[in-house]
Amino acid sequence: MSDKNNMTLNLKIWRQEGANVKGSIVDYRLEGVSPDMSFLEMLDLLNENLINQGQDPVAFDHDCREGICGMCSLMINGQAHGPERETTTCQLHMRKFKDGDTIVIEPWRAKAFPLHKDLMVDRSAFDDIMSAGGYVNVSTGNAQDANSILIGKDKAELAMDAASCIGCAACVASCKNASAMLFVSAKVSQLALLPQGQEEASTRVQNMVSKMDDLGFGNCTNEAECEAQCPKGIKISNISRMNREYLKASVTAHH
Amino acid sequence: MSKKIDGNVPQGPIEELWDKHRFKMKLVNPANKRKFKIIIVGTGLAGASAASTLAELGYEIDSFCIQDSPRRAHSIAAQGGINAAKNYPNDGDSVWRLFYDTVKGGDYRAREANVYRLAQVANNIIDQCAAQGVPFARDYGGTLANRSFGGAQVSRTFYARGQTGQQLLLGAYSSMMKEVNKGKIKVHTRQEMVELVLVDGKARGIITRNIITGEFEKHSGDAVLLCTGGYGNVYFLSTNAMTSNSSAAWKAYKKGAYFANPCYTQIHPTCIPVHGENQSKLTLMSESLRNDGRVWVPKAKADERKAADIPDEERDYYLERKYPSFGNLVPRDVASRNGKQAVDEGKGVGATKVAVFLDFRDAIKRDGLDTIKEKYGNLFDMYNRITDEDPYSVPMRIYPAVHYTMGGLWVDYHLQTSIPGCFCLGEANFSDHGANRLGASALMQGLADGYFVIPYTLGNYLVTEKPDQNKIDTDHPEFETSLKSAKDRFNKLLGINGGRSVDSFHKELGQYMWEYVGMARNEAGLKTGIKKIAELRAKFWKDVKVTGTNDGINIELEKANRVADFLELGELMARDALERPESCGGHFREESQTDENEALRQDDNFCHVAAWEYTGDNKEPNRNVEELDFPNVPLTQRSYK
């Protein structure tokens, strides 16, 4: 690169008007991309050009652009959130690409995530799984002094590792089975590790897993693609923990 | 026509106010609660905590958010922590001290009674969040860890790594999901409020636009809670999320809710500097970094050397030099202004010269690399990803950016706006931070309003409503009128078909706001700003280009609707700043400063809240006034020397 602003990219972007309309890959040539731009700022630039030509801009989800809200998505050259490890699309920068690169951009694809438009999909299935048990049943006002619950530092750190999940669904998108096990296990693990979550541990894991199955997510076959592509580094050891919790719940359940 | 308005604060000793008032307020019979439907707009800390708590009490809740899930509201991005006066570290904290610090930090422009209540319930928030399974940082013995945070001399900040907002929001969101499962909360995602509906002068519903289908929907209820966050995006570049907007609050303003102190904005000192003109937003680095990082610029102007090549005696650690007792921990407005001053003097660093250093060299030397990594690892990684520089070996470059807005809809002690039945919680209201918010106080206020204040004050309002005789449904003509006015507005935006994109207008507005209504303001600049914003607004309605139609997803149309409101709000902000010729907290008028360039308040004339009342499009709004008095925290000049 001689000039800071001279990257030209060949974009291949999935365009689809709506869930019931056929979609296809459309080619765009984009000039003037700066290496300091984020990936989404690059798409902003494309959209600004499209608008100025009177064309419909590409729809994609995004919000905080700080890598924490979990709203952004995108399969970039076949990888969820693109090539950088532990990085969301909004935090991916164009300096990771080269002048003249071809970049293929597609939406998350899973049966449980119907497509809205272009690169936007409906992930409300994750809310459904959460409402099946991803919480501690404690009403406001019930709580004792926070220090009456002691939690060892190591355990607290493990729970925090699991709690870091941003619910972006990269795990589902990158899994050949479209399994949501990493997402579900992160919440199950966080609450199973903490004393607050013990009372409902059995029903929680059973209800969340059953909801996950009902919604059409696949099963885990230990490919570990989810861990490799998780922008928050959630470990598949959480899936093992969830399986143990599930087994424990099954054998101790009152019938 | 300016009116005197009253915050409805109960009388008595401040320590007893809230407890006694809670007893005095009327209760809704448990069997009647299910007959009331409450509309809650926004699912950040305030909206989510209110939704879950009111559902637990038995009310029927309709919750609305703009994102695809309530968990994504922008509270999620708060990094640093949440304050409470637990005094676990035994370092001299108390409810009174948290109250005192917050009033003083707000530069005596907040209502004492609200702030005291906030400090009181802060401890309950920590308990509640811990019980929900929020993984707060712990010490080895298993107790909660604390750290000190911008502007405080005690360690009262609770945190969950650099993701405190995320963890608190996920706690409140999970509480919501618990009530969704019970059928008490109905969540409407990807919906944007486009009108507030009043019947007989009371808030009785909203009109929303479904972002996916483009359809307009009518929703009725017995009260409306606006928990829609701040309006920092009026500056185009800010640390707010892309969809953060002022439109819900602005609709309420146009229906008669007063807008208080719109000029009080917080410019956060530790953001990653702007890289270029295609930048879409700014990223904040938690100010917890100022606990260990040292802020400096080269003593010489236009010093082109690398940081490592500049010896200590040629560095100006200006915060430590000017404020020996607070040093790098001075409040945000003080740190920001000093940063800007250094850059204005030509001592800025980095390629753009619009930045100062935040240096961890000495902390790494003192505590070791591992300790610094453990404390700030994720923040350092984020910085590295964005800038491609390694902050462990070269100092970070930081610069102030718009972060939080202390102004917002005026509310009384009950969090009710000047429209009966319309309440406003969290950042969207004006109430507790005065002219400047202290670090780790935003999360505290959002959750205090939702978990511990509104459950009491809302009941007190509803008890006067008769749920059986007084039901309003969406066939009421007022809903039709509001629906029509919303549709007309969107059609008008689509019909302009001009030559400029929405973003180009938003960026131009942002430039005027930053230049004339930014960190330092003066009369001439504000007058120019008002004129330019009005001209830009006129141009917008003639020349904006909104592609697409009203059917289905149309992001340009969504943006155009929000920017149209920003173009009005921006002018009100400038007008408010002009009519407040004093400096206070985040509002700095160059005409009113001490010999040492600190903010100089004019308590004789401006110890009040300015609550603006809409009087019609392109008409001057009324500036109503709520007087403030400070019997408990005597007015003094803030000094962080």
Side-chain angles (χ1 to χ4, degrees):
Chain A
M1 275 177 297
S2 49
D3 177 0
K4 250 194 129 205
N5 277 308
N6 75 346
M7 273 166 79
T8 298
L9 301 170
N10 300 305
L11 304 172
K12 291 179 169 295
I13 301 180
W14 184 262
R15 301 300 307 261
Q16 185 173 346
E17 275 289 311
N20 303 317
V21 189
K22 224 176 148 195
S24 63
I25 294 273
V26 177
D27 291 350
Y28 299 96
R29 193 181 152 80
L30 184 64
E31 296 173 354
V33 176
S34 147
D36 287 333
M37 280 181 184
S38 72
F39 198 85
L40 297 183
E41 285 166 355
M42 182 273 291
L43 287 180
D44 290 343
L45 181 65
L46 172 71
N47 276 347
E48 182 87 12
N49 292 351
L50 290 177
I51 292 161
N52 287 333
Q53 295 158 19
Q55 296 184 46
D56 193 26
V58 179
F60 60 91
D61 269 324
H62 64 101
D63 200 20
C64 78
R65 298 203 175 189
E66 294 180 31
I68 194 76
C69 76
M71 187 96 177
C72 68
S73 55
L74 306 187
M75 285 305 262
I76 301 168
N77 289 337
Q79 287 183 290
H81 292 298
E84 275 290 284
R85 278 189 83 86
E86 298 196 15
T87 302
T88 55
T89 295
C90 67
Q91 294 284 287
L92 175 65
H93 283 72
M94 296 316 293
R95 64 179 77 94
K96 304 294 173 186
F97 296 88
K98 293 192 305 292
D99 186 30
D101 273 0
T102 295
I103 307 176
V104 182
I105 309 169
E106 294 170 275
W108 281 176
R109 296 191 194 275
K111 187 173 134 198
F113 297 152
L115 188 133
H116 282 311
K117 184 182 179 181
D118 297 338
L119 305 170
M120 281 169 80
V121 300
D122 178 359
R123 286 170 288 190
S124 51
F126 270 19
D127 285 338
D128 296 341
I129 296 175
M130 279 295 288
S131 68
Y135 42 77
V136 175
N137 251 302
V138 53
S139 293
T140 306
N142 264 324
Q144 302 299 301
D145 183 87
N147 262 346
S148 64
I149 312 167
L150 295 180
I151 301 165
K153 191 176 169 68
D154 293 345
K155 202 158 246 189
E157 293 293 319
L158 266 182
M160 182 62 217
D161 286 342
S164 303
C165 169
I166 57 175
C168 65
C171 47
V172 175
S174 57
C175 175
K176 63 172 187 164
N177 307 322
S179 169
M181 293 277 266
L182 193 67
F183 167 74
V184 181
S185 70
K187 189 47 73 178
V188 166
S189 287
Q190 178 201 341
L191 297 176
L193 282 160
L194 296 172
Q196 298 95 310
Q198 294 311 312
E199 291 301 323
E200 299 163 275
S202 295
T203 49
R204 173 180 308 111
V205 68
Q206 289 181 320
N207 293 343
M208 290 180 80
V209 168
S210 141
K211 179 58 88 177
M212 172 184 88
D213 292 342
D214 290 349
L215 289 164
F217 291 102
N219 210 335
C220 172
T221 49
N222 292 311
E223 310 284 325
E225 277 294 327
C226 55
E227 181 183 272
Q229 298 194 24
C230 173
K232 294 294 146 180
I234 307 288
K235 298 271 186 292
I236 52 167
S237 53
N238 288 301
I239 298 183
S240 316
R241 187 180 293 106
M242 178 169 80
N243 286 335
R244 287 198 299 277
E245 289 291 320
Y246 191 80
L247 183 67
K248 202 162 74 184
S250 311
V251 296
T252 57
H254 302 290
H255 291 293
Chain B
M1 271 277 293
S2 174
K3 284 187 291 228
K4 292 268 178 210
I5 55 174
D6 180 7
N8 297 321
V9 177
Q11 296 303 306
I14 198 156
E15 305 92 317
E16 298 170 9
L17 277 189
W18 178 235
D19 287 341
K20 287 198 167 158
H21 193 61
R22 281 197 298 171
F23 175 71
K24 273 187 208 148
M25 282 187 288
K26 298 181 198 93
L27 299 172
V28 178
N29 179 310
N32 278 340
K33 286 192 178 122
R34 74 174 75 93
K35 295 178 185 166
F36 289 108
K37 197 202 283 176
I38 312 302
I39 288 172
I40 303 181
V41 187
T43 58
L45 288 177
S49 59
S52 62
T53 305
L54 294 170
E56 286 160 8
L57 288 172
Y59 298 108
E60 298 294 327
I61 307 297
D62 265 336
S63 158
F64 296 82
C65 67
I66 207 167
Q67 296 89 354
D68 71 338
S69 164
R71 65 179 291 152
R72 310 216 195 274
H74 198 52
S75 303
I76 203 144
Q79 297 166 356
I82 175 165
N83 284 332
K86 285 281 194 185
N87 194 30
Y88 286 154
N90 196 29
D91 58 356
D93 204 4
S94 61
V95 168
W96 192 272
R97 188 177 294 280
L98 176 55
F99 158 63
Y100 179 93
D101 288 353
T102 308
V103 170
K104 182 180 166 211
D107 218 358
Y108 305 92
R109 291 296 175 263
R111 205 185 271 147
E112 266 196 352
N114 284 54
V115 178
Y116 192 87
R117 176 176 66 189
L118 176 68
Q120 261 179 314
V121 303
N123 289 345
N124 303 113
I125 296 171
I126 303 303
D127 299 341
Q128 185 59 33
C129 295
Q132 289 167 351
V134 169
F136 283 120
R138 302 266 168 175
D139 288 323
Y140 284 101
T143 54
L144 289 150
N146 286 107
R147 59 184 172 200
S148 79
F149 210 75
Q153 287 179 309
V154 290
S155 284
R156 60 160 73 106
T157 302
F158 295 79
Y159 61 100
R161 289 192 193 148
Q163 291 139 263
T164 316
Q166 179 199 25
Q167 294 308 315
L168 296 177
L169 183 63
L170 293 183
Y173 158 76
S174 66
S175 265
M176 263 184 91
M177 290 299 110
K178 156 175 79 67
E179 298 302 315
V180 167
N181 192 41
K182 291 175 186 160
K184 297 299 292 180
I185 299 180
K186 186 160 168 31
V187 178
H188 307 257
T189 58
R190 301 218 198 234
Q191 295 266 351
E192 182 154 14
M193 173 181 150
V194 292
E195 269 297 345
L196 178 70
V197 182
L198 268 51
V199 176
D200 299 330
K202 289 178 181 171
R204 296 306 300 260
I206 59 173
I207 307 292
T208 62
R209 182 174 174 276
N210 183 320
I211 287 171
I212 300 298
T213 63
E215 282 163 13
F216 292 85
E217 298 179 10
K218 300 181 282 186
H219 297 273
S220 68
D222 296 283
V224 176
L225 274 52
L226 300 180
C227 312
T228 50
Y231 49 89
N233 270 347
V234 68
Y235 289 86
F236 186 72
L237 283 181
S238 81
T239 65
N240 285 189
M242 300 304 285
T243 56
S244 299
N245 69 79
S246 66
S247 290
W250 199 247
K251 298 302 169 210
Y253 167 71
K254 288 193 147 184
K255 287 272 166 97
Y258 303 153
F259 207 110
N261 303 330
C263 79
Y264 291 168
T265 49
Q266 180 164 85
I267 315 275
H268 196 291
T270 55
C271 295
I272 299 177
V274 176
H275 64 69
E277 61 181 274
N278 286 107
Q279 186 140 2
S280 59
K281 75 153 279 165
L282 296 169
T283 302
L284 172 81
M285 302 299 295
S286 167
E287 72 180 332
S288 62
L289 292 168
R290 285 199 279 143
N291 283 335
D292 286 302
R294 298 178 70 195
V295 177
W296 66 277
V297 290
K299 282 184 179 165
K301 286 180 186 179
D303 194 329
E304 294 294 339
R305 288 175 293 176
K306 285 185 189 156
D309 298 338
I310 302 175
D312 272 17
E313 58 276 14
E314 292 177 42
R315 300 176 174 195
D316 183 8
Y317 292 93
Y318 55 87
L319 292 176
E320 297 170 26
R321 172 172 58 80
K322 290 186 190 169
Y323 310 98
S325 66
F326 279 72
N328 294 295
L329 291 175
V330 290
R332 292 174 175 180
D333 57 319
V334 180
S336 293
R337 266 197 303 280
N338 278 282
K340 181 177 186 285
Q341 203 182 347
V343 167
D344 290 348
E345 285 167 6
K347 295 173 181 171
V349 301
T352 60
K353 300 287 174 209
V354 186
V356 300
F357 285 130
L358 178 64
D359 197 340
F360 290 85
R361 182 196 66 181
D362 297 342
I364 291 170
K365 222 181 274 172
R366 184 188 66 223
D367 299 337
L369 192 62
D370 290 344
T371 307
I372 297 301
K373 254 190 187 149
E374 193 199 1
K375 273 188 179 166
Y376 307 115
N378 63 328
L379 296 169
F380 278 44
D381 291 348
M382 184 168 79
Y383 181 84
N384 173 254
R385 259 198 301 275
I386 294 172
T387 64
D388 214 21
E389 289 178 358
D390 172 24
Y392 293 104
S393 53
V394 296
M396 287 183 179
R397 288 170 294 113
I398 56 165
Y399 199 63
V402 175
H403 177 56
Y404 187 91
T405 49
M406 282 75 69
L409 289 182
W410 181 87
V411 290
D412 68 4
Y413 189 65
H414 289 175
L415 304 182
Q416 184 167 243
T417 67
S418 45
I419 299 172
C422 179
F423 294 78
C424 187
L425 284 65
E427 186 180 353
N429 76 27
F430 88 106
S431 69
D432 297 359
H433 306 298
N436 176 47
R437 179 175 65 74
L438 291 178
S441 285
L443 305 185
M444 173 170 72
Q445 186 225 336
L447 291 178
D449 287 358
Y451 283 138
F452 296 109
V453 179
I454 197 71
Y456 297 92
T457 60
L458 181 67
N460 187 62
Y461 167 76
L462 291 173
V463 90
T464 61
E465 300 290 295
K466 300 278 173 285
D468 299 319
Q469 306 136 32
N470 203 11
K471 271 290 169 226
I472 302 280
D473 66 32
T474 53
D475 294 335
H476 193 281
E478 289 294 343
F479 277 88
E480 284 306 319
T481 311
S482 295
L483 178 68
K484 188 176 176 305
S485 105
K487 278 185 176 169
D488 288 350
R489 173 183 166 93
F490 278 79
N491 286 332
K492 192 173 168 194
L493 286 167
L494 281 165
I496 297 166
N497 209 10
R500 278 180 66 183
S501 72
V502 179
D503 275 0
S504 76
F505 281 101
H506 196 176
K507 282 181 188 177
E508 190 175 335
L509 172 66
Q511 281 163 9
Y512 296 149
M513 294 302 296
W514 184 251
E515 192 167 336
Y516 302 115
V517 202
M519 250 182 289
R521 303 150 175 189
N522 61 55
E523 186 181 339
L526 288 164
K527 284 182 172 161
T528 310
I530 289 170
K531 198 165 150 271
K532 288 194 180 253
I533 295 165
E535 285 165 6
L536 184 66
R537 189 170 59 236
K539 259 192 237 163
F540 173 89
W541 283 104
K542 281 202 188 87
D543 196 27
V544 73
K545 176 180 195 163
V546 183
T547 49
T549 66
N550 213 344
D551 295 326
I553 296 166
N554 188 343
I555 294 144
E556 288 306 297
L557 183 58
E558 285 169 39
K559 284 198 292 195
N561 173 53
R562 295 170 201 146
V563 171
D565 289 333
F566 282 141
L567 283 163
E568 295 178 11
L569 171 62
E571 183 181 326
L572 187 69
M573 290 167 71
R575 194 175 295 280
D576 185 46
L578 180 66
E579 300 288 326
R580 189 177 284 280
E582 66 163 353
S583 295
C584 54
H587 168 61
F588 191 76
R589 279 289 296 264
E590 286 167 354
E591 300 92 332
S592 185
Q593 51 183 308
T594 66
D595 295 340
E596 292 153 321
N597 307 108
E598 303 297 343
L600 182 65
R601 292 193 321 268
Q602 296 174 23
D603 292 327
D604 290 345
N605 297 317
F606 293 96
C607 194
H608 61 231
V609 177
W612 293 88
E613 181 181 4
Y614 178 73
T615 55
D617 281 336
N618 297 316
K619 280 192 189 152
E620 289 214 5
N622 290 334
R623 186 180 188 272
N624 299 325
V625 163
E626 178 193 342
E627 293 295 340
L628 295 171
D629 57 353
F630 293 88
N632 296 288
V633 186
L635 288 157
T636 52
Q637 169 70 31
R638 272 194 324 170
S639 170
Y640 292 94
K641 293 272 165 193

